[in-house]
Coordinates of all heavy atoms in Angstrom, one line a residue:
Chain E
L19 N 111.9 129.4 7.4 CA 112.6 130.6 7.9 C 114.1 130.5 7.5 O 114.6 129.4 7.3 CB 112.5 130.7 9.4 CG 113.2 129.6 10.2 CD1 114.3 130.2 11.1 CD2 112.2 128.9 11.1
T20 N 114.7 131.6 7.5 CA 116.1 131.7 7.3 C 116.7 132.7 8.3 O 116.2 133.8 8.4 CB 116.5 132.2 5.8 OG1 115.9 131.3 4.9 CG2 118.0 132.2 5.6
V21 N 117.8 132.3 8.9 CA 118.6 133.3 9.7 C 120.0 133.4 9.2 O 120.5 132.5 8.5 CB 118.6 132.8 11.2 CG1 117.2 132.7 11.8 CG2 119.3 131.4 11.3
Y22 N 120.6 134.5 9.5 CA 121.9 134.9 8.9 C 123.0 135.2 9.9 O 122.7 135.7 11.0 CB 121.6 136.1 8.0 CG 120.6 135.9 6.9 CD1 119.3 136.2 7.2 CD2 120.9 135.4 5.7 CE1 118.3 136.0 6.2 CE2 120.0 135.1 4.7 CZ 118.7 135.5 5.0 OH 117.7 135.2 4.0
C23 N 124.2 135.0 9.5 CA 125.4 135.3 10.2 C 126.3 136.0 9.3 O 126.7 135.5 8.3 CB 126.0 134.0 10.8 SG 127.5 134.2 11.7
N24 N 126.7 137.2 9.7 CA 127.5 138.0 8.8 C 128.7 138.6 9.5 O 128.7 138.9 10.7 CB 126.7 139.2 8.2 CG 125.5 138.7 7.4 OD1 125.7 138.2 6.3 ND2 124.3 138.8 8.0
S25 N 129.8 138.9 8.7 CA 131.0 139.5 9.2 C 131.7 140.2 8.0 O 131.5 139.9 6.9 CB 131.9 138.5 9.8 OG 133.1 139.1 10.3
S26 N 132.6 141.1 8.4 CA 133.4 141.7 7.3 C 134.7 141.0 7.2 O 135.6 141.3 6.3 CB 133.7 143.2 7.7 OG 134.3 143.3 9.0
S27 N 135.0 140.0 8.0 CA 136.2 139.2 8.0 C 136.0 137.9 7.3 O 134.9 137.4 7.2 CB 136.7 138.9 9.4 OG 136.9 140.1 10.2
V28 N 137.1 137.3 6.8 CA 137.1 136.0 6.2 C 137.5 134.9 7.2 O 138.4 135.1 7.9 CB 138.1 136.0 5.0 CG1 138.1 134.6 4.3 CG2 137.7 137.1 3.9
F29 N 136.8 133.8 7.1 CA 137.0 132.8 8.1 C 137.3 131.5 7.4 O 136.8 131.2 6.3 CB 135.8 132.6 9.0 CG 135.4 133.8 9.7 CD1 134.3 134.5 9.4 CD2 136.2 134.3 10.8 CE1 134.0 135.7 10.1 CE2 135.9 135.5 11.4 CZ 134.8 136.2 11.1
S30 N 138.2 130.6 8.0 CA 138.5 129.3 7.5 C 137.4 128.3 7.7 O 137.2 127.4 7.0 CB 139.8 128.8 8.1 OG 139.7 128.7 9.5
S31 N 136.6 128.6 8.7 CA 135.4 127.7 9.0 C 134.4 128.5 9.9 O 134.7 129.5 10.5 CB 135.9 126.4 9.7 OG 136.4 126.7 11.0
L32 N 133.2 127.9 9.9 CA 132.1 128.6 10.7 C 131.3 127.5 11.2 O 131.0 126.5 10.6 CB 131.3 129.5 9.8 CG 130.2 130.4 10.5 CD1 130.2 131.7 9.8 CD2 128.9 129.7 10.4
Q33 N 130.8 127.7 12.4 CA 130.0 126.7 13.1 C 128.6 127.3 13.4 O 128.5 128.5 13.7 CB 130.7 126.2 14.4 CG 132.0 125.5 14.2 CD 132.7 125.1 15.5 OE1 132.6 125.8 16.5 NE2 133.3 124.0 15.5
W34 N 127.6 126.4 13.5 CA 126.3 126.7 14.0 C 126.0 125.9 15.2 O 126.2 124.7 15.2 CB 125.2 126.5 12.9 CG 125.2 127.6 11.9 CD1 125.8 127.6 10.6 CD2 124.5 128.8 11.9 NE1 125.5 128.7 9.9 CE2 124.7 129.5 10.7 CE3 123.7 129.5 12.9 CZ2 124.1 130.8 10.4 CZ3 123.1 130.7 12.6 CH2 123.4 131.3 11.4
Y35 N 125.6 126.5 16.3 CA 125.1 125.8 17.5 C 123.7 126.2 17.8 O 123.2 127.3 17.4 CB 126.0 126.3 18.7 CG 127.4 125.8 18.8 CD1 128.4 126.4 18.0 CD2 127.8 124.9 19.7 CE1 129.7 126.0 18.1 CE2 129.1 124.4 19.8 CZ 130.0 125.0 19.0 OH 131.3 124.6 19.1
R36 N 123.0 125.3 18.4 CA 121.6 125.5 18.9 C 121.6 125.4 20.4 O 122.1 124.4 20.9 CB 120.6 124.6 18.3 CG 119.2 124.9 18.8 CD 118.1 124.1 18.1 NE 118.3 122.7 18.2 CZ 117.8 121.8 17.3 NH1 117.2 122.2 16.2 NH2 118.0 120.5 17.5
Q37 N 121.0 126.3 21.1 CA 120.9 126.3 22.5 C 119.4 126.3 22.9 O 118.7 127.2 22.6 CB 121.6 127.5 23.2 CG 121.5 127.5 24.7 CD 122.3 128.7 25.3 OE1 122.5 129.7 24.6 NE2 122.6 128.6 26.6
E38 N 119.0 125.2 23.5 CA 117.6 125.1 24.0 C 117.5 125.7 25.3 O 118.5 125.8 26.1 CB 117.2 123.6 23.9 CG 117.2 123.0 22.5 CD 116.7 121.6 22.5 OE1 116.1 121.1 23.5 OE2 116.9 120.9 21.4
P39 N 116.3 126.1 25.7 CA 116.1 126.8 27.0 C 116.6 126.0 28.1 O 116.3 124.8 28.3 CB 114.6 127.0 27.1 CG 114.2 127.1 25.6 CD 115.1 126.1 24.9
G40 N 117.4 126.6 29.0 CA 117.9 125.9 30.2 C 119.1 124.9 29.9 O 119.5 124.2 30.9
E41 N 119.6 124.9 28.7 CA 120.8 124.0 28.4 C 121.9 124.8 27.8 O 121.8 126.0 27.4 CB 120.3 122.9 27.5 CG 119.2 122.1 28.1 CD 118.8 120.9 27.2 OE1 119.4 120.7 26.1 OE2 117.7 120.3 27.5
G42 N 123.0 124.1 27.6 CA 124.2 124.7 26.9 C 124.0 124.5 25.4 O 123.3 123.7 24.9
P43 N 124.8 125.3 24.7 CA 124.8 125.2 23.2 C 125.3 123.8 22.8 O 126.1 123.2 23.4 CB 125.7 126.3 22.7 CG 125.8 127.3 23.9 CD 125.6 126.5 25.1
V44 N 124.7 123.4 21.6 CA 125.1 122.1 21.0 C 125.5 122.3 19.6 O 124.7 123.0 18.9 CB 124.0 121.0 21.1 CG1 124.4 119.8 20.4 CG2 123.6 120.7 22.6
L45 N 126.6 121.8 19.2 CA 127.1 122.0 17.8 C 126.1 121.3 16.8 O 125.8 120.1 17.0 CB 128.5 121.5 17.6 CG 129.1 121.6 16.2 CD1 129.3 123.1 15.9 CD2 130.4 120.8 16.1
L46 N 125.7 122.0 15.8 CA 124.9 121.5 14.7 C 125.7 121.1 13.5 O 125.6 120.0 12.9 CB 123.8 122.5 14.3 CG 122.7 122.8 15.3 CD1 121.8 123.9 14.7 CD2 121.9 121.6 15.7
V47 N 126.6 122.0 13.1 CA 127.4 121.8 11.9 C 128.6 122.7 11.8 O 128.6 123.7 12.5 CB 126.5 122.1 10.6 CG1 126.3 123.6 10.4 CG2 127.0 121.4 9.4
T48 N 129.6 122.2 11.1 CA 130.8 123.1 10.8 C 130.9 123.1 9.2 O 130.8 122.1 8.6 CB 132.1 122.5 11.3 OG1 131.9 122.4 12.8 CG2 133.3 123.3 11.0
V49 N 131.0 124.3 8.7 CA 131.2 124.5 7.3 C 132.6 125.1 7.0 O 133.0 126.0 7.8 CB 130.1 125.4 6.6 CG1 128.8 124.6 6.5 CG2 129.9 126.7 7.4
V50 N 133.3 124.6 6.0 CA 134.7 125.0 5.8 C 135.0 125.5 4.4 O 136.0 126.2 4.3 CB 135.7 123.8 6.2 CG1 135.5 123.4 7.6 CG2 135.4 122.6 5.3
T51 N 134.2 125.2 3.5 CA 134.5 125.6 2.1 C 133.5 126.7 1.6 O 132.3 126.5 1.8 CB 134.4 124.4 1.2 OG1 135.3 123.3 1.7 CG2 134.8 124.7 -0.3
G52 N 134.1 127.7 0.9 CA 133.2 128.7 0.4 C 132.1 128.1 -0.5 O 132.5 127.3 -1.4
G53 N 130.9 128.5 -0.3 CA 129.8 128.0 -1.1 C 129.3 126.6 -0.6 O 128.3 126.1 -1.2
E54 N 129.9 126.1 0.4 CA 129.4 124.8 0.9 C 128.0 124.8 1.4 O 127.6 125.8 2.1 CB 130.4 124.3 2.0 CG 130.1 123.0 2.6 CD 131.1 122.5 3.6 OE1 132.0 123.3 3.9 OE2 131.0 121.4 4.1
V55 N 127.3 123.7 1.1 CA 125.9 123.6 1.6 C 125.9 122.2 2.3 O 126.3 121.2 1.8 CB 124.9 123.6 0.5 CG1 123.5 123.3 1.0 CG2 124.9 124.9 -0.3
K56 N 125.4 122.3 3.6 CA 125.2 121.1 4.3 C 123.7 121.0 4.8 O 123.1 122.0 5.2 CB 126.1 121.0 5.5 CG 127.6 120.7 5.2 CD 128.4 120.4 6.5 CE 129.7 119.8 6.1 NZ 130.5 119.5 7.3
K57 N 123.2 119.7 4.8 CA 121.9 119.5 5.3 C 121.8 118.6 6.5 O 122.6 117.6 6.5 CB 121.0 119.0 4.1 CG 120.8 119.9 3.0 CD 119.7 119.4 2.0 CE 119.5 120.5 1.0 NZ 118.4 120.1 0.0
L58 N 121.0 119.0 7.4 CA 120.8 118.2 8.6 C 119.3 118.1 8.8 O 118.6 119.0 9.4 CB 121.4 118.9 9.8 CG 121.4 118.1 11.1 CD1 122.3 116.8 11.0 CD2 122.0 119.0 12.2
K59 N 118.7 117.0 8.2 CA 117.2 116.8 8.2 C 116.6 118.1 7.6 O 116.8 118.3 6.4 CB 116.7 116.6 9.6 CG 117.3 115.3 10.2 CD 116.7 115.0 11.6 CE 117.3 113.7 12.1 NZ 116.8 113.4 13.5
R60 N 115.8 118.8 8.3 CA 115.1 120.0 7.8 C 115.9 121.3 7.8 O 115.4 122.3 7.4 CB 113.8 120.2 8.6 CG 112.8 119.1 8.4 CD 111.5 119.3 9.3 NE 111.9 119.2 10.7 CZ 112.1 120.2 11.5 NH1 112.0 121.5 11.0 NH2 112.4 120.1 12.8
L61 N 117.1 121.2 8.3 CA 118.0 122.3 8.4 C 119.0 122.3 7.2 O 119.6 121.3 7.0 CB 118.8 122.3 9.7 CG 118.0 122.8 11.0 CD1 116.8 122.1 11.3 CD2 119.0 122.8 12.2
T62 N 119.2 123.5 6.6 CA 120.1 123.6 5.5 C 121.1 124.8 5.8 O 120.6 125.9 6.1 CB 119.4 123.9 4.1 OG1 118.5 122.8 3.8 CG2 120.5 124.0 3.0
F63 N 122.4 124.5 5.8 CA 123.4 125.5 6.2 C 124.2 125.8 4.9 O 124.5 124.9 4.1 CB 124.3 124.9 7.2 CG 123.7 124.4 8.5 CD1 123.1 123.1 8.5 CD2 123.5 125.3 9.6 CE1 122.5 122.7 9.7 CE2 122.9 124.8 10.7 CZ 122.4 123.5 10.8
Q64 N 124.5 127.1 4.7 CA 125.3 127.5 3.6 C 126.4 128.4 4.0 O 126.1 129.4 4.8 CB 124.4 128.2 2.5 CG 125.2 128.5 1.3 CD 124.4 128.8 0.0 OE1 123.2 128.8 0.1 NE2 125.0 128.9 -1.1
F65 N 127.6 128.2 3.6 CA 128.7 129.1 3.8 C 128.9 130.0 2.6 O 128.9 129.5 1.5 CB 130.0 128.3 4.0 CG 131.1 129.0 4.8 CD1 130.9 130.2 5.4 CD2 132.3 128.4 4.8 CE1 131.9 130.8 6.1 CE2 133.4 129.0 5.5 CZ 133.2 130.1 6.2
G66 N 129.0 131.3 2.8 CA 129.1 132.2 1.6 C 130.3 131.9 0.8 O 131.3 131.4 1.3
D67 N 130.3 132.3 -0.5 CA 131.4 132.0 -1.4 C 132.7 132.7 -0.9 O 133.8 132.1 -1.1 CB 131.0 132.6 -2.8 CG 129.9 131.8 -3.5 OD1 129.7 130.6 -3.1 OD2 129.3 132.3 -4.4

Side-chain angles (χ1 to χ4, degrees):
Chain E
L19 67 115
T20 303
V21 299
Y22 301 91
C23 176
N24 298 288
S25 177
S26 57
S27 300
V28 177
F29 302 107
S30 58
S31 66
L32 185 145
Q33 297 176 324
W34 284 95
Y35 287 76
R36 177 170 64 205
Q37 183 178 16
E38 297 184 11
E41 299 182 9
V44 175
L45 180 68
L46 296 174
V47 76
T48 300
V49 286
V50 297
T51 305
E54 180 177 5
V55 176
K56 282 192 173 180
K57 292 191 175 183
L58 185 64
K59 296 183 180 178
R60 295 176 292 100
L61 277 60
T62 302
F63 305 85
Q64 184 162 8
F65 201 13
D67 291 341

